[in-house]
Amino acid sequence: MTALADPLAPAPAAPAAARPVNRARRRAQILHHIVLIFGVLLMCGPMVVTFMSSTWDPVVIHSEGLQLGYGGKFLETYETVLLKGGGFTGEITGTLMLWNSVLLGLGFAIGKIVISMLAAYAIVYFRFPFASLAFWVIFATLLLPLEVRILPSYEVVQRLGMLNSWSGLILPLIASATATFFFRQFFRSIPDELLEAARIDGAGPFRFFVDILAPLSKTMMAAIFIIMFVVGWNQYLWPALMTTDESMFTIVRGIRQILQVWIGANIPDYNQALALAILAMAPPALVVLVFQRMFIKGLVETEK
Amino acid sequence: MKKVQFGPSWTPYLLLAPQLIIVALFFLWPAGEALRSSFYLEDPFFGNATFVGFDNYVDSTSAADYGRSAQFTAVFTVSICVISLGIALALAVSADAVLRGKSPYKTALMWVYAIAPPVAGLIGVMMFDQHIGPLSDFARWLGWEMQVGVSYFDTAVAMITVAAWKQIPVNFIFFLSGLQGIPNSLREAAAIDCRSPARRFWTVVFPLLAPTSFFLLVINITYAFFETFGVIDVMLKGEPGNNPVTLVYKVFLDGFRGQDLGGSSAQSVILMIAVFALTIVQFRLIERRVHYS
Amino acid sequence: MLRSTLLAAALAPAFVLGAGAANAQTEIAWWHAMGGRLGEVVNEIATRFNASQSDYKITPIFKGNYEETLTATIAAFRAGEQPNIVQVFDAGSATIIGAQGAVLPAEDLLKNNGVAFDANDYIEGVRYFYADSAGKMVGMPFNSSTPVMYYNTEALEKAGVQPPKTWEEFEEIAPKLKDAGYVPLAQSHTPWIFVENFFSRHNLQFATNNNGYDGAEGTKLLLSQTPELKRHFEKLKAWKDEGLYAYYGAGWSDNQAPFENGDVAMWLGSSGSFGGLSQSMKAPFQATYLPYWGDVEGAGGTTFIGGAALFALAGHPAEENQASAAFFEYLTSPEIQFYWHEETGYVPITTAAYELAKSEGYYDEAPSAETGILQLSLPGGEWTKGYRMGFYVQIRDVMNREFGKVFAGETTVDEALKTIDEEGDRLLERFAKTSG
């Protein structure tokens, strides 16, 4: 790896150098391409195989494993998965499950950004008693993920009368400090002069937040939005425990439901599970791709 | 902390209120419940509890597989960090350095970020299937009779591979943004001072990436502990058998799957203390690094 | 301010359960763990029940796998949100039956609501499995299966052997199958097939306290004190080393797959597995009884069932319980049982349903489907009723782990059985404290 490490190679318009250097540089470029091609194969290969396999018959997947070639059943499988009504009500389609996952992802990401931005703002920009206590209380939530406190959480949600509701589904997931931690780091990197200037102009906390801090945080918000959207989208265990209403089922749960066949009696519809897996990846992947630039920029800013 | 801040007023409390209320309701309350029930043996249906002191702690930690799980958790976490961070760093360095095709490479390496852990697990199960998995075939071709699900070691290898694989895009994105955050002026100065690219990397670039790396270390440890749940769950196919599990998964196995509320609460309290200690150490390091840079 | 409006906007489409019912129909909920095709059959049964009368409406809800369903039920029960009927699997039955007052015993539910009940209507093997120590049926057996042996007829012909009835016969024919190029034997669920059903098939005692039926306190496992079981596992290990038995881990399908693709000649699986096998197996196959050791006195009797039962939960108004009773009655009717049997491969739980399947000529087209029910109808003995042990999910996990170690050569049979007894007893002791 050391041989390839040349991130400081100056831009193409570098001063003219001796020939050996040029050759070495070309060799380095080739090596970089090899590394990247290997990486792309490593990351995308399994996805291609998953997609290809989803176009085969479930029996073939069951007995011969993943497939590299195209199986010819793309349209049928994806149509079934997207449009065929399942569940007792017959209304659970892949489309509905996708929509529910979108709701969960959006609700979670937006809720989390709003709440944690406000909290981080208070912690970084205000001097008040208990500030560090508040920070540590919030930070403590990183210690125990929902999976290991899931039963008591269920009881709490029930006592609050929030079973089978989107707020009951989303709020307990929001109770984790990751985003607050990100925003705190980011706010601390913003130069003090900004606040000084704002105060000379007579801006109060509200004006400062709305006019200066929020616009400055745009890319950061985008980065956190992507991260959180994906986290919300990928939830499985909590929604499965919380919701009994079929109309709230999400796509990750749908994948599990297909594979959850009493073993032996039937062959699971592997093709449909894989097709759902591909569909489940599409929207978050799209979010990542669309916000790609902001994502990286946002992260660059956090780290300073 | 900031040198300039708003003075005392009711505003910060108002701003903090939503988060604190949610944390109190959905974290402190359930975590308190877990702490309480770690000292009781409880009838799951009615919650009639018998106080048993530290029995739950003793019973769960003295079970034969607890030590083995703890050991595996450590190996699992370290391996994921090393493999995933190593590959991601190499990829990020190359993606930052290539002159042509930068953005297609970036896109191809980033979009997989969104894969759900259970889906990664599903792909892993099929790749490592002991009969028809292509990766098992490959291992056999190399002369390694790999049997995931039968051999403890082989299953561990498969789990680590899948879990580390899933985390590569995240690390890649952060490393790449860290590299791109290095100012051009610095790059040019380094290029003049330091001829060998390798030396340039280790003496100039890597230290500049240190805050990113420390930050990623926290993210990766958290990931290995908590977010690999879906990967492990799917790869075990519902039967832990003689296969490795992490401590977090064991909490889930005993509590959620086996209804041993007291035992699993005790384990989560132990875990909480361990993570707390780990976090403080990491946090200190990060804070120092951030100030340093 | 800002926060609440934004949050409200994000959460706006909050759905609330329960659309107002216009008529006086009594609605009940049924939580189950049947995914895939089985879930579709469950939905079909519910739809048919709803169409068959107008007083009651049942809604089935898939709650994940068995463990997730039980846990969701417990959480819901503590919150007073429990469904009317829940499906609980064999290993979880001690937990739910042990919770005094959580369940309305099926027998009481039916009798109190004017439905005739006679335990003798049910086939031998399922009658007492979900009953209390007095023999009262608590859970209504729902999806039941039992371990049987499938064999690849082509393989056996090639080796020139007959399917073995006993393990002694197996020892004779296994080398021939090996010479013919096959792995003679595999099985898919060590605790269920080689422990629980070993005790049943050989009519041996599995645990003290009447296999646990007489109460949780002081129940102890008897694995290490059963020489027959010890011998069995020592033989298995020896067979494995000689290439006569193959162990592919604790995963069900990992062990079934080599039988499907023709590497393994005989495979012990579930009586319901024939449906999946006929989809995926290339070679012809047949089913026969689970082998036993001929030299064990009283061996060769009936086996235990595996699968799950339906439990009616307490805490609901009388008219809802009446609806549950009506549903149980409908579910056990021969027509529905036959439909379930035919669609899923699970055994019919009543003699009447079995007779119906026979008279419809079902077993002429699917002879393998009959093996399970015939085996469950074999004479029973003192120790073939079932077993009742708490934290049994973990006990099975311990068994899987220890036997996995045995076959990997990491421990001896002796040590493994001792560890299982020790850890199992500790779990049982803990369980006794929770219900005490």
Side-chain angles (χ1 to χ4, degrees):
Chain A
M1 194 189 76
T2 31
L4 319 173
D6 190 18
L8 295 187
R19 257 162 203 283
V21 177
N22 258 337
R23 198 174 302 143
R25 190 166 298 154
R26 202 171 308 130
R27 218 167 34 226
Q29 280 293 315
I30 291 171
L31 276 169
H32 286 308
H33 280 285
I34 293 172
V35 170
L36 287 169
I37 288 167
F38 167 77
V40 170
L41 285 179
L42 179 72
M43 297 320 298
C44 299
M47 302 286 75
V48 173
V49 172
T50 306
F51 172 74
M52 287 302 182
S53 303
S54 72
T55 63
W56 287 78
D57 191 77
V59 176
V60 174
I61 306 171
H62 174 77
S63 47
E64 285 162 41
L66 293 167
Q67 299 293 322
L68 260 176
Y70 177 67
K73 296 202 169 173
F74 171 73
L75 277 180
E76 301 170 48
T77 308
Y78 282 77
E79 203 185 322
T80 314
V81 159
L82 276 175
L83 300 175
K84 196 188 139 207
F88 178 62
T89 50
E91 283 160 11
I92 317 301
T93 60
T95 326
L96 177 72
M97 292 195 286
L98 279 170
W99 173 241
N100 285 335
S101 295
V102 169
L103 284 183
L104 179 56
L106 279 181
F108 175 71
I110 296 174
K112 191 135 177 172
I113 288 177
V114 170
I115 285 170
S116 55
M117 247 181 113
L118 295 178
Y121 182 49
I123 290 171
V124 176
Y125 280 96
F126 291 84
R127 194 178 313 121
F128 63 105
F130 313 117
S132 64
L133 176 73
F135 173 72
W136 281 103
V137 166
I138 293 171
F139 197 77
T141 56
L142 289 180
L143 303 181
L144 200 61
L146 191 64
E147 274 78 16
V148 298
R149 57 182 160 89
I150 196 161
L151 291 178
S153 297
Y154 178 91
E155 277 188 48
V156 168
V157 170
Q158 182 277 327
R159 280 190 209 165
L160 299 171
M162 285 164 39
L163 290 178
N164 271 312
S165 71
W166 287 98
S167 43
L169 190 59
I170 293 170
L171 289 179
L173 291 169
I174 292 181
S176 140
T178 39
T180 317
F181 179 59
F182 278 115
F183 276 116
R184 173 178 172 269
Q185 296 297 97
F186 174 65
F187 288 163
R188 290 176 68 170
S189 73
I190 292 177
D192 286 352
E193 293 75 25
L194 277 177
L195 179 57
E196 273 167 27
R199 285 173 76 175
I200 292 166
D201 287 352
F206 180 75
R207 278 272 311 279
F208 178 70
F209 185 82
V210 173
D211 290 348
I212 297 169
L213 209 53
L216 270 180
S217 315
K218 253 191 218 147
T219 45
M220 185 63 200
M221 280 155 79
I224 293 187
F225 175 80
I226 296 172
I227 297 175
M228 294 306 154
F229 180 80
V230 172
V231 171
W233 179 276
N234 286 346
Q235 289 299 320
Y236 164 69
L237 203 60
W238 177 244
L241 183 69
M242 260 290 299
T243 54
T244 46
D245 189 344
E246 282 190 344
S247 64
M248 288 176 78
F249 283 10
T250 60
I251 191 126
V252 178
R253 182 175 180 165
I255 297 171
R256 282 281 302 248
Q257 177 152 4
I258 292 180
L259 293 173
Q260 173 58 49
V261 176
W262 174 66
I263 307 145
N266 281 287
I267 290 175
D269 292 320
Y270 287 110
N271 57 335
Q272 294 185 16
L274 294 173
L276 274 186
I278 292 288
L279 289 173
M281 281 198 56
L286 216 64
V287 171
V288 173
L289 292 185
V290 168
F291 292 100
Q292 193 182 29
R293 192 148 303 201
M294 283 179 126
F295 195 10
I296 293 203
K297 249 176 88 187
L299 296 175
V300 171
E301 282 165 9
T302 7
E303 276 150 28
K304 287 194 195 145
Chain B
M1 277 294 134
K2 291 255 170 206
K3 287 184 218 82
V4 194
Q5 286 177 314
F6 289 110
S9 71
W10 47 268
T11 326
Y13 299 102
L14 205 67
L15 293 170
L16 273 172
Q19 173 121 41
L20 285 180
I21 289 172
I22 288 180
V23 167
L25 280 180
F26 299 111
F27 178 79
L28 293 180
W29 186 356
E33 278 293 308
L35 183 64
R36 189 196 59 82
S37 68
S38 71
F39 295 103
Y40 288 85
L41 267 172
E42 208 172 316
D43 149 39
F45 276 86
F46 296 97
N48 301 324
T50 326
F51 183 79
V52 293
F54 281 92
D55 276 12
N56 288 325
Y57 291 86
V58 176
D59 282 353
S60 9
T61 49
S62 60
D65 53 341
Y66 190 84
R68 204 162 68 147
S69 291
Q71 210 181 348
F72 174 69
T73 309
V75 173
F76 184 69
T77 309
V78 172
S79 311
I80 286 179
C81 289
V82 171
I83 297 173
S84 189
L85 287 173
I87 294 179
L89 181 61
L91 290 173
V93 164
S94 289
D96 187 54
V98 283
L99 302 172
R100 253 179 251 177
K102 210 173 216 157
S103 99
Y105 280 133
K106 255 173 25 189
T107 307
L109 290 169
M110 274 175 75
W111 74 281
V112 205
Y113 168 67
I115 188 169
V119 173
L122 173 66
I123 297 172
V125 158
M126 299 186 111
M127 286 280 183
F128 280 107
D129 186 282
Q130 54 172 302
H131 305 293
I132 48 176
L135 290 178
S136 302
D137 288 344
F138 180 66
R140 260 192 291 277
W141 182 74
L142 293 176
W144 171 16
E145 278 301 316
M146 189 177 198
Q147 259 198 313
V148 173
V150 181
S151 149
Y152 187 89
F153 178 78
D154 295 355
T155 315
V157 169
M159 275 179 184
I160 290 170
T161 310
V162 176
W165 174 78
K166 192 207 145 353
Q167 189 67 358
I168 291 175
V170 181
N171 294 331
F172 170 76
I173 293 168
F174 278 88
F175 273 133
L176 187 63
S177 62
L179 285 169
Q180 297 193 339
I182 297 173
N184 259 333
S185 52
L186 207 61
R187 294 173 182 240
E188 277 154 24
I192 295 164
D193 283 351
C194 229
R195 272 259 150 118
S196 143
R199 267 203 54 204
R200 206 154 57 209
F201 178 79
W202 291 115
T203 55
V204 183
V205 181
F206 193 72
L208 284 171
L209 276 181
T212 312
S213 309
F214 275 111
F215 172 77
L216 280 179
L217 203 60
V218 181
I219 297 279
N220 279 270
I221 291 175
T222 318
Y223 165 79
F225 263 64
F226 299 135
E227 286 157 47
T228 48
F229 175 86
V231 173
I232 298 175
D233 191 46
V234 175
M235 290 194 74
L236 288 175
K237 301 187 188 175
E239 291 294 341
N242 186 28
N243 291 312
V245 293
T246 60
L247 287 175
V248 169
Y249 195 75
K250 213 175 130 44
V251 171
F252 167 80
L253 276 184
D254 288 350
F256 195 90
R257 187 165 179 269
Q259 274 84 43
D260 184 355
L261 305 180
S264 102
S265 295
Q267 290 177 44
S268 49
V269 171
I270 296 174
L271 211 59
M272 221 182 334
I273 294 168
V275 178
F276 187 65
L278 206 62
T279 313
I280 287 180
V281 173
Q282 289 174 333
F283 205 73
R284 291 234 136 129
L285 281 171
I286 295 178
E287 294 288 272
R288 201 169 297 152
R289 285 290 158 168
V290 168
H291 285 299
Y292 175 72
S293 76
Chain C
M1 277 310 110
L2 176 70
R3 173 234 152 208
S4 55
T5 28
L6 264 176
L7 196 63
L11 307 177
F15 293 107
V16 185
L17 184 73
N23 51 5
Q25 253 188 353
T26 307
E27 298 200 12
I28 55 172
W30 169 23
W31 289 5
H32 67 86
M34 308 266 84
R37 170 75 191 130
L38 295 174
E40 289 168 20
V41 181
V42 161
N43 288 336
E44 175 62 25
I45 290 178
T47 308
R48 288 193 192 180
F49 172 71
N50 291 341
S52 74
Q53 41 72 45
S54 56
D55 295 338
Y56 316 115
K57 180 168 181 279
I58 192 164
T59 307
I61 295 149
F62 173 76
K63 286 299 278 183
N65 62 25
Y66 283 140
E67 290 92 354
E68 287 161 2
T69 305
L70 179 57
T71 304
T73 304
I74 286 172
F77 189 90
R78 291 169 68 134
E81 300 275 341
Q82 70 271 33
N84 301 78
I85 298 172
V86 63
Q87 181 187 17
V88 177
F89 66 135
D90 47 8
S93 57
T95 306
I96 191 162
I97 295 174
Q100 297 293 328
V103 177
L104 302 171
E107 196 171 327
D108 292 347
L109 180 78
L110 290 172
K111 284 180 177 161
N112 294 344
N113 288 288
V115 181
F117 177 86
D118 181 359
N120 294 318
D121 291 346
Y122 297 83
I123 60 171
E124 173 82 27
V126 306
R127 200 176 295 156
Y128 296 112
F129 196 77
Y130 299 105
D132 64 14
S133 54
K136 184 202 279 177
M137 194 180 272
V138 180
M140 174 59 73
F142 178 53
N143 52 320
S144 308
S145 59
T146 201
V148 298
M149 184 169 80
Y150 291 94
Y151 55 93
N152 181 332
T153 39
E154 240 172 52
L156 269 65
E157 268 166 35
K158 210 167 133 193
V161 295
Q162 291 297 311
K165 283 193 185 56
T166 62
W167 291 117
E168 285 91 344
E169 286 177 26
F170 171 79
E171 284 194 297
E172 274 169 42
I173 66 156
K176 291 181 193 153
L177 283 165
K178 191 188 167 195
D179 292 342
Y182 293 95
V183 174
L185 181 74
Q187 59 84 30
S188 269
H189 196 317
T190 322
W192 185 49
I193 297 173
F194 277 162
V195 179
E196 293 152 29
N197 279 289
F198 185 90
F199 283 108
S200 168
R201 190 91 167 115
H202 296 88
N203 194 21
L204 294 167
Q205 190 174 359
F206 182 11
T208 60
N209 271 351
N210 190 18
N211 277 0
Y213 274 85
D214 291 349
E217 220 174 304
T219 301
K220 291 202 182 312
L221 290 166
L222 295 172
L223 271 71
S224 60
Q225 290 169 51
T226 309
E228 294 88 344
L229 185 77
K230 194 182 150 214
R231 189 252 317 245
H232 185 63
F233 273 95
E234 271 162 0
K235 284 282 189 190
L236 282 171
K237 177 73 172 73
W239 294 339
K240 183 182 176 281
D241 295 342
E242 293 161 35
L244 304 180
Y245 164 65
Y247 178 73
Y248 301 101
W252 183 286
S253 54
D254 286 342
N255 288 285
Q256 184 177 343
F259 177 66
E260 287 170 1
N261 65 29
D263 291 341
V264 165
M266 296 184 290
W267 169 70
L268 310 178
S270 152
S271 58
S273 300
F274 68 92
L277 288 178
S278 47
Q279 280 176 285
S280 55
M281 186 134 168
K282 286 160 204 108
F285 68 91
Q286 277 184 324
T288 186
Y289 295 162
L290 186 70
Y292 57 94
W293 287 97
D295 63 359
V296 175
E297 208 181 318
T302 184
T303 43
F304 291 150
I305 50 172
L310 301 186
F311 290 84
L313 294 172
H316 292 287
E319 62 270 20
E320 289 184 17
N321 292 338
Q322 202 175 359
S324 300
F327 178 68
F328 277 1
E329 187 186 11
Y330 183 77
L331 185 69
T332 47
S333 67
E335 293 73 28
I336 290 300
Q337 280 298 313
F338 177 43
Y339 170 69
W340 177 244
H341 178 41
E342 200 179 4
E343 291 294 322
T344 65
Y346 287 113
V347 298
I349 56 169
T350 61
T351 335
Y354 173 49
E355 294 300 332
L356 178 68
K358 251 200 302 203
S359 68
E360 295 275 328
Y362 176 52
Y363 302 120
D364 299 332
E365 38 176 299
S368 300
E370 199 178 7
T371 313
I373 187 159
L374 287 175
Q375 183 173 298
L376 284 171
S377 308
L378 291 173
E382 198 181 351
W383 304 111
T384 60
K385 279 197 321 187
Y387 57 91
R388 179 75 26 84
M389 281 175 261
F391 288 157
Y392 197 69
V393 175
Q394 288 98 310
I395 296 180
R396 271 188 180 169
D397 285 350
V398 173
M399 290 184 197
N400 263 323
R401 190 188 73 216
E402 289 302 315
F403 292 133
K405 284 186 190 168
V406 168
F407 294 127
E410 292 165 26
T411 184
T412 63
V413 173
D414 242 355
E415 284 298 314
L417 295 181
K418 269 194 200 113
T419 311
I420 294 167
D421 277 359
E422 268 168 34
E423 284 195 32
D425 288 351
R426 190 165 347 132
L427 284 161
L428 289 169
E429 203 183 306
R430 286 174 62 80
F431 180 75
K433 280 189 205 155
T434 68
S435 54

